[in-house]
Amino acid sequence: MANNHNGFFISFEGIDGAGKSTHIDAFGDLMKKRHPNKKIVMTREPGGTPLGENLRKLLLDTPMHIETEALLMFAARREHLALIIEPALNEGHIVISDRFTDASFAYQGGGRGLSLAKLSILEQWVQARNGVQLLQPDLTFLFDLPGSVAEDRRSKVRTPDKFEQMNLDFFERVRQEYLRRAKQEPERFFKIDATKTPEDIWGVLSSVKVGVSDQS
Ligand code: TYD
């Protein structure tokens, strides 16, 4: 179903260490160059609002029950949609978010084993418009790579947060849930082989035809 706004919503997804953060700002700059009349809103989840950034700190540092974790992810998302994403899309802007709901299905569902049915209820609650239509990204870049390659990359560059401390099996389950969703919605997902070099990945990313309308 077509979204009832003039904006364009893009999300970047993938397991920790897949390299999405290396490219997201450059991709925002590219969109600005291609669509000089559009405003580009760069944001992230969990986070994107003052409350969301506070919740992010808790979510990335504090151990908690898996359902509490899922509820807080969606609470942050509700605020993010209300304050940032929906107003921007209604104004016709391009929104680029570092993660969105696919991450909840992949991490809380695939990784932690929370029921996908429960996550769907939260998704429906937080993202449904007019009672039926779900507000989803128009395009999702999925940076895909084996958990072992991502683990190797992570170990070289950063101190792990709560999620990054999880073991290889966890990340393999996260990856499989991302892939399952990508298969379910092939028209929304664009899968990127994240084992490639940053140059090759940028070559692919920068050549993707993004269906942004220049009308506002
Ligand atoms: P990430 O986006 O990888 O940021 P950074 O590059 O700064 O580490 O970190 C966010 C973490 O939150 C990541 O491990 C995935 C996790 N996450 C979930 O578990 N569920 C969600 O719904 C979202 C949005 C993120």
Side-chain angles (χ1 to χ4, degrees):
M1 199 188 290
N3 283 321
N4 55 359
H5 59 73
N6 295 324
F8 201 85
F9 183 15
I10 302 171
S11 61
F12 277 59
E13 297 280 0
I15 63 176
D16 293 272
K20 64 185 169 46
S21 310
T22 309
H23 298 284
I24 195 162
D25 288 341
F27 187 79
D29 293 343
L30 179 70
M31 287 293 103
K32 183 74 219 159
K33 220 180 277 166
R34 282 197 197 150
H35 306 284
N37 299 327
K38 292 262 174 192
K39 185 168 170 197
I40 315 292
V41 177
M42 304 295 296
T43 188
R44 69 172 180 180
E45 289 206 346
T49 65
L51 175 64
E53 290 295 326
N54 279 329
L55 290 173
R56 178 185 178 93
K57 281 191 205 104
L58 284 173
L59 282 160
L60 297 195
D61 294 338
T62 313
M64 59 184 76
H65 188 276
I66 59 168
E67 294 194 351
T68 310
E69 184 176 283
L71 288 163
L72 289 182
M73 288 290 178
F74 276 95
R77 183 162 298 130
R78 185 69 197 91
E79 198 71 5
H80 194 202
L81 280 160
L83 266 58
I84 307 289
I85 299 178
E86 290 184 314
L89 294 176
N90 289 337
E91 288 292 317
H93 303 331
I94 299 174
V95 176
I96 301 178
S97 187
D98 190 343
R99 301 191 185 280
F100 193 63
T101 303
D102 297 305
S104 300
F105 280 88
Y107 280 78
Q108 281 64 53
R112 297 229 195 270
L114 182 60
S115 124
L116 299 184
K118 281 190 175 170
L119 290 166
S120 296
I121 293 169
L122 294 178
E123 180 186 41
Q124 197 70 34
W125 188 6
V126 167
Q127 287 156 250
R129 295 295 160 267
N130 317 320
V132 268
Q133 190 184 349
L134 283 185
L135 193 144
Q136 295 285 24
D138 299 292
L139 170 65
T140 296
F141 289 114
L142 174 57
F143 285 63
D144 177 58
L145 83 179
S148 55
V149 181
E151 186 172 72
D152 197 43
R153 285 187 188 168
R154 287 198 307 274
S155 68
K156 293 189 177 116
V157 291
R158 53 191 184 228
T159 317
D161 62 34
K162 189 180 92 183
F163 292 100
E164 291 167 349
Q165 286 166 19
M166 299 302 290
N167 63 22
L168 191 53
D169 283 355
F170 173 88
F171 282 105
E172 282 302 341
R173 291 195 301 276
V174 173
R175 179 191 189 196
Q176 290 314 318
E177 179 58 20
Y178 269 132
L179 290 173
R180 192 188 68 79
R181 289 176 70 76
K183 215 167 174 184
Q184 248 180 6
E185 288 182 79
E187 65 297 335
R188 171 162 73 88
F189 278 88
F190 188 100
K191 200 171 87 181
I192 289 172
D193 177 355
T195 61
K196 296 247 166 72
T197 63
E199 293 72 28
D200 285 350
I201 291 174
W202 180 248
V204 173
L205 252 187
S206 56
S207 63
V208 173
K209 293 243 171 314
V210 180
V212 173
S213 146
D214 279 306
Q215 265 133 38
S216 52

